[in-house]
Amino acid sequence: MAQKRYPYLAGGLLLGALAGAVAGLLTAPKSGRETRRQMAAKAKDATGRLQEEMDRARGKAKGSYDRLLARLRNLEAKAERKAKQIRGGSGAPA
């Protein structure tokens, strides 16, 4: 029985959303041109903030990458020295 109600529920939700959108447009305090201009300005502002955040994240990621690369190179050098020591190449401690 509950399965039969789901199509009605989905239809009711869709109809309610449509009625709400129409009511919002009819009672809007600003003209369409003003609303579009305001939305465009907000979108441009949001785009600028997003770009700043992306640049900041890119900088942090590059710094982390550079530190990791330096650590890996250091570990590689230590491993090579240890391998030479084990083979009897240099005799110097790692």
Side-chain angles (χ1 to χ4, degrees), residues 16-79:
L18 182 61
V22 168
L25 289 173
L26 292 175
T27 60
K30 297 179 183 176
S31 70
R33 180 177 291 160
E34 280 183 70
T35 303
R36 285 189 301 272
R37 190 177 302 135
Q38 185 180 17
M39 289 175 66
K42 286 184 179 186
K44 187 176 182 180
D45 185 44
T47 301
R49 286 194 313 260
L50 181 61
Q51 184 66 44
E52 289 172 7
E53 289 296 322
M54 285 177 50
D55 291 342
R56 197 170 315 158
R58 188 178 293 124
K60 285 182 180 181
K62 181 164 178 13
S64 296
Y65 171 79
D66 291 341
R67 285 190 300 276
L68 178 61
L69 191 58
R71 287 184 67 190
L72 287 173
R73 287 182 177 154
N74 186 25
L75 285 172
E76 181 183 28
K78 283 182 181 180

